[in-house]
């Protein structure tokens, strides 16, 4: 009775373990969809875009008026101060106590056209003497308006208005490109598991065949139709296939773990991959691919950004060579009174004008050196960009040619796989009836395995090349339209 209970517990444990291992049947589009939703790569791509988005929002906010409130509601000061007493004709220390309170509201607007700042400010202050006559005094600046401008020829805001929108547009394109690169990675991981699973299936079939052939060989050896050398070769084939099966099973588990980790699936999940049976009938025009890449690829925007940044560096270095002038002008109203209700009555005019100059007399050529260095760096950058553009277009052209040839490679490999399988089946049947020897059977088996793996390799290369072309051009050649992304959806979570 005890053995029955133990058997039941063991059976229940095995059943629960089987249920815990969820099995999923996935196609290549399924793997790509899962990767785009829950892989760590997709999470990283999303947050890299969001970082660029908030950087761009910060740039836009700098173009809007900033309004701030500053207050010092409580400032108590009690100290002794050295003062001259005219009555006694002596210096003496006197106790001073007062209470301060200040409030100010200011608004600042950056002026992109000139690079200066316009500001408005309103202030109110109160001083209460806590000793002596205990008088209270108020001071108010109802409004003051001012303008500050550097006249050195370099306008940071103007350059930012050219560069920052370009950077953000580049970030949007990079997000789409990263998602296409994720398709390439998904394809490689997908076919990695397919290869491992098929290798295991081939190893199981080879082991089963080798076991059958060895048993047949032993029977034939006893009747003298198979030599001892051939029997030993069959036994060796069986042992080798057993080892190959163990290795294939381990490789499948490793490939399964890599795919589960990549897709964010539980490690217990068993994924069965379905080999794509069809490929789209596509022949891509290289000139069209290059044209779409120039319009869409973020690398082209990166080249434009680099040119602008080099021009900005030259402009900044040039502005530091000579006269550096700052202009400051302000006009406002000001009044002070002992009664609060009088502090805003008939305020006086308050004006300020300032012109600052910074003239380098002797800098030992540092300004000229910085300017010359900036120009040289720009020339080097422009030459590099020109070369990168040539390499970029050549890469796309070569990738298109390779892709257009890859479809033919897939069809040829598929046909070779079919022929090799038929050849092995015929050879196997002929071996069973004793028409051929073990050597020819081994050759047919190896040919079948090689053809099968070659077909899968060509199929993987086709889809990886296709998604890489989409990544380079950001263009969907099947739907005949540029690739887009729902950026608003990224901001929802």
């Amino acid at each position: 009775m005890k053995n029955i209970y133990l058997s039941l517990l063991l059976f229940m444990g095995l059943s629960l373990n089987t249920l815990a291992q969820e099995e999923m049947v996935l196609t290549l589009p399924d793997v790509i969809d899962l990767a785009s939703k829950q892989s760590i790569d997709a999470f990283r791509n999303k947050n890299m875009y969001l970082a660029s988005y908030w950087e761009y929002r910060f740039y836009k906010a700098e173009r809007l008026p900033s309004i701030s409130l500053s207050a010092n509601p409580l400032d108590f000061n009690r100290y002794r101060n050295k003062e001259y007493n005219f009555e006694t004709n002596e210096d003496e220390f006197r106790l001073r106590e007062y209470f301060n309170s200040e409030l100010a509201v200011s608004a600042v607007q950056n002026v992109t056209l000139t690079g200066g700042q316009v500001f408005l400010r309103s202030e109110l202050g109160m001083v209460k003497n806590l000793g002596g006559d205990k008088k209270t005094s108020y001071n108010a600046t109802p409004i003051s308006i001012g303008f500050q401008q550097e006249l050195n020829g370099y306008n940071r805001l103007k350059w930012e208005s050219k560069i920052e929108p370009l950077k953000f547009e580049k970030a949007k394109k990079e997000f789409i490109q990263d998602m296409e690169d994720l398709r390439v990675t998904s394809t490689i991981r997908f076919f990695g598991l397919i290869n491992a699973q098929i290798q295991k299936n081939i190893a199981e079939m080879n082991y089963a065949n080798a076991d059958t052939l060895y048993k047949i060989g032993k029977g034939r050896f006893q009747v003298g139709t198979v030599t001892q050398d051939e029997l030993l070769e069959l036994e060796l084939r069986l042992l080798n296939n057993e080892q190959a099966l163990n290795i294939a099973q381990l490789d499948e588990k490793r490939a399964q773990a890599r795919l589960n980790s990549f897709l964010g699936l539980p490690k217990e999940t068993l994924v069965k991959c379905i080999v794509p049976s069809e490929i789209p009938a596509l022949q891509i025009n290289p000139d069209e691919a290059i044209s779409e890449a120039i319009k869409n690829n973020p690398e082209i925007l990166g080249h434009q950004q680099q040119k602008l940044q080099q021009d900005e560096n030259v402009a900044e270095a040039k502005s530091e060579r000579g006269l550096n002038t700052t202009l400051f002008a302000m006009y406002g109203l000001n009044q002070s009174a002992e009664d609060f209700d009088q502090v805003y009555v008939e305020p006086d005019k308050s004006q300020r004008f300032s012109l600052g100059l910074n003239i380098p007399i002797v800098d030992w050529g540092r300004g000229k050196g910085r300017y010359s260095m900036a120009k040289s760096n720009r020339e080097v950058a422009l030459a590099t960009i020109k070369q990168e553009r040539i390499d970029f277009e050549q890469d796309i052209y070569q990738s298109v040619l390779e892709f257009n040839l890859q479809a033919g490679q897939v069809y040829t490999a598929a046909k070779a796989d079919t022929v090799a399988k038929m050849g092995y089946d015929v050879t196997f049947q002929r071996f069973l009836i004793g028409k051929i020897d073990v050597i020819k059977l081994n050759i047919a088996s190896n040919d079948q395995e090689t053809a099968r793996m070659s077909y899968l390799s060509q199929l993987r290369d086709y889809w990886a090349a296709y998604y890489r072309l989409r990544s380079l051009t950001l263009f969907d050649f099947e739907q005949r339209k540029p690739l887009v992304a729902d950026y608003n959806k990224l901001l929802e979570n």
Side-chain angles (χ1 to χ4, degrees):
M1 193 68 178
K2 182 178 180 181
N3 291 335
I4 295 177
Y5 286 141
L6 291 174
S7 299
L8 286 174
L9 289 174
L10 178 61
F11 174 76
M12 291 176 63
L14 292 174
S15 300
L16 290 173
N17 183 55
T18 303
L19 291 174
Q21 291 185 329
E22 180 185 358
E23 184 172 339
M24 300 177 67
V25 179
L26 299 178
T27 62
L28 178 57
D30 294 333
V31 170
I32 291 174
D33 183 61
L34 280 174
S36 65
K37 291 178 179 177
Q38 59 190 43
S39 69
I40 190 65
D41 293 52
F43 177 80
R44 180 172 57 250
N45 295 341
K46 174 183 175 181
N47 283 277
M48 287 176 64
Y49 166 75
L50 291 178
S52 298
Y53 169 79
W54 289 112
E55 182 181 357
Y56 182 69
R57 283 286 301 271
F58 176 80
Y59 151 76
K60 295 288 288 184
E62 275 196 317
R63 267 61 188 165
L64 300 175
S66 62
I67 301 175
S68 60
L69 171 67
S70 59
N72 186 10
L74 180 61
D75 181 11
F76 172 75
N77 197 345
R78 186 174 187 271
Y79 67 101
R80 292 187 179 274
N81 189 39
K82 182 179 179 181
E83 297 181 2
Y84 180 74
N85 190 330
F86 290 95
E87 295 180 358
T88 62
N89 198 29
E90 294 178 347
D91 289 330
E92 59 184 33
F93 287 94
R94 292 189 178 183
L95 181 65
R96 297 298 183 191
E97 291 181 293
Y98 66 87
F99 171 77
N100 273 346
S101 183
E102 297 176 346
L103 178 68
V105 178
S106 58
V108 178
Q109 172 66 64
N110 291 320
V111 182
T112 303
L113 183 62
T114 65
Q117 280 188 337
V118 176
F119 60 88
L120 290 171
R121 188 174 178 87
S122 180
E123 300 174 86
L124 175 64
M126 183 269 289
V127 176
K128 184 176 181 61
N129 188 3
L130 301 179
D133 55 12
K134 300 187 182 300
K135 285 186 177 181
T136 301
S137 178
Y138 297 91
N139 183 73
T141 304
I143 186 170
S144 60
I145 182 171
F147 179 72
Q148 183 173 345
Q149 174 70 54
E150 291 189 359
L151 305 177
N152 59 359
Y154 171 67
N155 184 349
R156 177 185 64 85
L157 298 176
K158 182 179 178 181
W159 285 106
E160 284 184 354
S161 67
K162 294 180 180 180
I163 295 174
E164 292 301 325
L166 195 62
K167 284 176 59 178
F168 183 55
E169 187 64 25
K170 177 188 171 188
K172 292 164 71 174
K173 297 290 186 181
E174 284 177 336
F175 173 76
I176 301 176
Q177 188 176 64
D178 289 339
M179 296 307 293
E180 290 304 310
D181 291 340
L182 184 60
R183 291 173 178 262
V184 177
T185 306
S186 301
T187 299
I188 294 173
R189 296 293 177 89
F190 175 79
F191 277 97
L193 181 56
I194 284 182
N195 286 348
Q197 290 177 339
I198 290 180
Q199 287 277 26
K200 189 197 73 169
N201 293 338
I202 291 175
E204 289 175 342
M205 182 183 67
N206 289 342
Y207 177 75
N209 291 341
D211 183 61
T212 300
L213 294 175
Y214 179 64
K215 291 177 181 177
I216 295 174
K218 286 196 298 184
R220 290 182 180 179
F221 175 73
Q222 293 176 355
V223 298
T225 58
V226 170
T227 66
Q228 186 176 12
D229 291 344
E230 290 178 326
L231 181 62
L232 290 174
E233 187 172 348
L234 288 174
E235 184 178 6
L236 179 61
R237 176 183 174 87
L238 176 62
L239 294 174
N240 289 338
N241 283 331
E242 183 179 5
Q243 289 182 335
L245 177 58
N246 293 333
I247 295 174
Q249 289 173 340
L250 181 60
D251 289 342
E252 183 196 26
K253 291 179 180 179
R254 288 174 177 169
Q256 179 71 80
R258 285 194 294 268
L259 184 64
N260 287 1
S261 175
F262 174 68
L263 297 178
L265 297 174
K267 61 181 180 180
E268 301 85 7
T269 304
L270 299 177
V271 176
K272 180 180 179 182
C273 295
I274 305 300
V275 180
S277 58
E278 296 181 357
I279 59 175
L282 280 177
Q283 283 293 301
I284 299 174
N285 186 313
D287 294 332
E288 180 190 17
I290 292 174
S291 175
E292 293 298 333
I294 292 174
K295 288 189 293 186
N296 302 321
N297 194 288
E299 186 173 343
I300 302 301
L301 295 177
H303 290 164
Q304 297 176 23
Q305 178 186 334
Q306 290 178 48
K307 290 179 181 178
L308 287 173
Q309 288 175 334
Q310 291 299 325
D311 291 341
E312 180 188 13
N313 292 340
V314 172
E316 185 176 9
K318 184 179 180 181
S319 70
E320 295 174 353
R321 287 184 61 190
L323 181 66
N324 193 339
T325 310
T326 302
L327 174 67
F328 181 88
M330 186 185 73
Y331 174 83
L333 302 174
N334 182 267
Q335 181 62 281
S336 60
E338 295 184 0
D339 298 322
F340 180 76
D341 56 358
Q342 297 295 317
V343 75
Y344 287 100
V345 177
E346 297 182 358
D348 298 327
K349 295 180 180 180
S350 176
Q351 298 175 338
R352 180 185 175 189
F353 179 82
S354 174
L355 181 65
L357 299 177
N358 183 4
I359 305 175
I361 298 176
V362 178
D363 67 351
W364 309 108
R366 286 181 299 175
K368 182 180 180 181
R370 282 195 297 265
Y371 179 57
S372 299
M373 185 172 58
K375 289 198 299 181
S376 297
N377 289 338
R378 179 177 63 180
E379 293 304 316
V380 172
L382 292 179
T384 303
I385 290 171
K386 184 177 180 180
Q387 184 61 51
E388 288 178 352
R389 176 68 173 269
I390 295 173
D391 295 342
F392 174 76
E393 294 185 10
Q394 186 62 35
D395 182 30
I396 295 176
Y397 186 84
Q398 190 66 33
S399 297
V400 171
L401 294 182
E402 292 174 358
F403 172 76
N404 289 339
L405 290 174
Q406 191 62 34
Q409 296 290 91
V410 172
Y411 292 134
T412 301
K415 187 175 181 179
D417 179 44
T418 302
V419 171
K421 185 178 185 308
M422 293 173 60
Y424 176 78
D425 291 340
V426 171
T427 304
F428 184 75
Q429 294 299 324
R430 293 187 66 190
F431 178 83
L432 292 179
I433 60 177
K435 294 293 183 179
I436 60 172
D437 57 17
V438 175
I439 296 176
K440 291 183 178 179
L441 180 64
N442 288 340
I443 293 174
S445 175
N446 292 334
D447 289 344
Q448 177 186 232
E449 293 180 23
T450 301
R452 185 59 176 167
M453 300 315 298
S454 176
Y455 168 67
L456 291 174
S457 177
Q458 296 296 339
L459 197 60
R460 178 201 63 202
D461 292 346
Y462 175 88
W463 285 109
Y466 175 64
Y467 289 127
R468 182 173 182 271
L469 270 180
R470 282 170 51 115
S471 174
L472 288 171
T473 61
L474 299 193
F475 188 79
D476 188 338
F477 292 97
E478 289 186 90
Q479 302 296 326
R480 310 295 306 164
K481 61 182 182 180
L483 299 174
V484 295
D486 188 355
Y487 300 108
N488 292 329
K489 188 176 181 180
L490 296 175
L491 302 173
E492 291 177 358
N493 299 328

